[in-house]
């Protein structure tokens, strides 16, 4: 028989950002229900999506603070250096964490392992319910409450709904919030490789006419590749035989890692830029890809979502401790003001970088090579960009700074 469940916060979407938000809020005493369409067992299979994420230093602080990092022991690879180059040019940009006298620039984690860690931590919190697979058929919101109807007939009443359900967000569409989007005529091809020689914790990003080609260090003698290619060549590349595909990967990687071997499958994703016209509505806040989606050129997509999560946790927990209505417009406006400018700025920067580097126009190529060289030779400027890569610039939520709420 259908029944109604009451919770403080309902979260639509149980991906990386959605579960992190649920865990963080529940760890600070709120009653949380996460609803996800996906089957948890499927999402942790090696064949699910093949992607890995560069988790910035500040984002690692969040995952440590909410108890997720302990479940990643032995599964994360520190990023000690980043080397940026423009095709065959001798000009380059080199980031080394030792120049800041601080910890690593970030950590590489396979998404599968991140999901396993999030699921393990979620099970430790009795005030967090993870309903999956489950789908919502109706969303009702008014000044007093949120009411969700599930496909099985059950209902959930909450004081606040968080839409953390990806670029095609059901929560965003149900609220009538429009999103601006355009495509890049590019795809991201993702795979993992084993190699003879150690990577030394160095991430490489090479700018080629078709788009960036990133070699990102994983645990052991393994790396994750993110290969940006023109849309019209996607079927050709994905249709290569395993031997031909591996030969092309070896050619693009060069010989600094020795012989490489593609392990596992290969995946292809269209690349677009998208941002919601607003982040909030009556008792609703959009988070992560539901609010913004950017080009992977700087590896900041998930980090943007985790910064949203950290800010939202702080805003909601502060309101709850003060006895305020956690779903009120004033509380949600504080979140939106905190995050919108940062996200729009980063989306603009990644868009410009991709357009600047994804071409082979001679004057543009010369100008950008000189720009790389100038930044590399001015330590304060280079350190500023490194701090951005670590996610430690700007007014940070406490959980990103390593502080407690």
């Amino acid at each position: 028989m259908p029944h109604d469940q009451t919770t403080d916060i309902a979260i639509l979407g149980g991906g990386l950002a959605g579960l992190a938000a649920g865990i963080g809020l529940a760890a600070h005493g709120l009653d949380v229900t996460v609803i996800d369409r996906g089957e948890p067992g499927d999402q942790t299979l090696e064949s699910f999506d093949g992607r890995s994420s560069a988790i910035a230093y500040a984002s690692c602080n969040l995952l440590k603070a909410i108890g997720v990092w302990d479940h990643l022991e032995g599964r994360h690879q520190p990023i000690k250096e980043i080397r940026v180059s423009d095709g065959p040019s001798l000009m380059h940009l080199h980031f080394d964490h030792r120049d800041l006298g601080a910890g690593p620039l970030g950590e590489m984690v396979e998404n599968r392992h991140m999901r396993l860690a999030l699921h393990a931590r979620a099970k430790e919190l009795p005030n967090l319910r993870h309903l999956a697979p489950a789908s919502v058929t109706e969303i009702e919101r008014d000044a007093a409450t949120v009411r969700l109807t599930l496909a099985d007939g059950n209902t959930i009443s909450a004081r606040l709904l968080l839409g953390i359900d990806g670029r095609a967000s059901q929560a965003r569409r149900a609220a009538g919030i429009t999103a601006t989007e355009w495509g890049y005529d590019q795809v991201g091809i993702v795979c993992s490789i084993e190699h003879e020689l150690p990577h030394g914790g160095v991430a490489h990003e090479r700018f080629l006419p078709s788009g960036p080609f990133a070699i990102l260090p994983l645990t052991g003698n393994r790396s994750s590749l993110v290969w940006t290619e023109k849309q019209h060549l996607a079927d050709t590349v994905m249709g290569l035989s395993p031997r031909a595909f591996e030969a092309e990967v070896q050619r693009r990687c060069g010989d600094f890692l020795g012989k490489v071997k593609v392990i596992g499958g290969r995946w292809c994703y269209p690349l677009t830029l998208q941002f919601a016209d607003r982040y909030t509505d009556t008792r609703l806040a959009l988070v992560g890809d539901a609010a913004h989606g950017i080009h992977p050129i700087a590896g900041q997509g998930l980090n943007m979502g985790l910064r949203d999560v950290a800010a939202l946790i702080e805003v909601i927990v502060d309101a709850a401790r003060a006895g305020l209505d956690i779903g009120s417009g004033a509380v949600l406006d504080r979140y939106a003001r905190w995050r919108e400018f940062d996200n729009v700025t980063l989306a603009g920067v990644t868009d410009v970088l991709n357009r600047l580097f994804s071409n082979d126009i001679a004057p543009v190529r010369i100008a950008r090579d000189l720009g790389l060289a100038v930044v590399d030779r001015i330590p304060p400027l280079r350190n500023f960009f490194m701090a951005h890569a670590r996610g430690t610039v700007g007014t940070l939520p406490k959980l990103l700074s390593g502080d407690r709420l």
Side-chain angles (χ1 to χ4, degrees):
M1 181 177 178
H3 68 277
D4 182 71
Q5 173 189 303
T6 300
T7 188
D8 291 326
I9 300 170
I11 298 178
L12 194 53
L16 302 183
L19 270 181
I23 290 166
L25 291 163
H28 287 88
L30 289 144
D31 192 84
V32 183
T33 301
V34 177
I35 307 154
D36 189 37
R37 291 176 177 272
E39 170 61 56
D42 293 343
Q43 295 178 33
T44 56
L45 295 175
E46 289 188 39
S47 58
F48 183 70
D49 73 0
R51 287 177 288 189
S52 300
S53 295
I55 310 298
Y57 177 83
S59 298
C60 293
N61 285 338
L62 166 66
L63 296 174
K64 291 172 184 176
I66 64 177
V68 173
W69 201 253
D70 290 343
H71 295 281
L72 284 167
E73 185 175 356
R75 301 291 190 180
H76 54 89
Q77 167 62 49
I79 303 173
K80 300 176 182 178
E81 302 174 44
I82 301 175
R83 296 177 184 172
V84 181
S85 58
D86 187 14
S89 171
L90 296 178
M91 304 295 186
H92 67 279
L93 179 58
H94 181 209
F95 296 144
D96 189 327
H97 76 288
R98 291 171 294 187
D99 292 338
L100 292 177
L105 300 171
E107 302 274 350
M108 281 299 303
V109 181
E110 294 165 71
N111 285 8
R112 170 175 173 262
H113 294 149
M114 180 68 76
R115 291 188 185 94
L116 287 168
L118 289 165
H119 291 168
R121 176 57 176 147
K123 291 176 182 177
E124 297 173 347
L125 298 166
N127 54 327
L128 172 60
R129 284 166 297 284
H130 183 198
L131 306 182
S135 59
V136 172
T137 58
E138 188 175 3
I139 301 174
E140 300 172 90
R141 295 175 294 111
D142 58 34
T145 191
V146 175
R147 183 179 173 86
L148 306 178
T149 302
L150 305 185
D152 61 9
N154 293 326
T155 58
I156 297 172
S157 296
R159 293 192 281 165
L160 174 63
L161 173 64
L162 303 182
I164 318 182
D165 49 341
R167 294 194 182 205
S169 172
Q170 179 186 8
R172 187 186 67 234
R173 288 184 283 109
I177 299 175
T178 56
T180 301
E181 178 179 1
W182 61 77
Y184 286 110
D185 195 30
Q186 294 173 319
V187 296
I189 298 170
V190 177
C191 67
S192 296
I193 59 172
E194 286 181 340
H195 35 81
E196 286 183 304
L197 304 177
H199 48 57
V202 180
H204 297 261
E205 184 147 33
R206 298 171 177 173
F207 291 115
L208 304 174
S210 60
F213 182 80
I215 308 170
L216 308 170
L218 298 176
T219 54
N221 276 19
R222 300 182 306 133
S223 294
S224 173
L225 301 186
V226 182
W227 168 355
T228 304
E229 189 52 86
K230 297 295 185 183
Q231 177 73 55
H232 71 275
L233 295 175
D235 289 343
T236 300
V237 175
M238 293 301 290
L240 291 173
S241 68
R243 184 174 179 179
F245 182 78
E246 189 166 88
E248 181 60 20
V249 167
Q250 179 75 71
R251 185 183 73 81
R252 286 174 172 257
C253 288
D255 58 5
F256 78 101
L257 291 172
K259 185 177 180 181
V260 304
K261 176 184 178 183
V262 176
I263 52 177
R266 66 185 96 151
W267 292 261
C268 182
Y269 302 95
L271 302 182
T272 62
L273 175 69
Q274 175 181 295
F275 48 92
D277 293 343
R278 65 181 191 276
Y279 283 15
T280 64
D281 201 89
T282 303
R283 296 197 174 273
L284 167 69
L286 301 178
V287 180
D289 284 355
H292 46 73
I294 65 172
H295 195 283
I297 190 168
Q300 289 298 311
L302 177 58
N303 291 299
M304 286 173 69
L306 293 178
R307 287 196 287 273
D308 290 350
V309 168
L312 192 59
I313 291 172
E314 184 166 332
V315 166
I316 292 173
V317 171
D318 283 352
R321 288 174 178 171
L324 302 176
D325 179 358
I326 61 172
S328 70
V331 171
L332 300 184
D333 284 349
R334 182 186 169 202
Y335 159 70
R337 288 194 305 270
W338 198 346
R339 294 301 308 144
E340 282 180 335
F341 179 77
D342 178 43
N343 289 337
V344 169
T345 300
L346 187 53
V349 168
T350 57
D351 182 66
V352 170
L353 284 175
N354 184 58
R355 295 177 190 277
L356 178 65
F357 282 95
S358 295
N359 66 73
D360 202 29
I361 302 170
V364 176
R365 185 177 66 248
I366 293 169
R368 70 196 184 206
D369 288 351
L370 289 174
L372 288 176
V374 167
V375 172
D376 194 60
R377 284 162 175 75
I378 303 177
L381 186 57
R382 187 177 67 243
N383 291 348
F384 172 76
F385 282 106
M386 260 197 290
H388 267 284
R390 296 177 85 241
T392 54
V393 173
T395 305
L396 296 181
K398 293 177 183 177
L399 295 177
L400 295 180
S401 302
D403 298 326
R404 296 183 178 275
L405 295 184

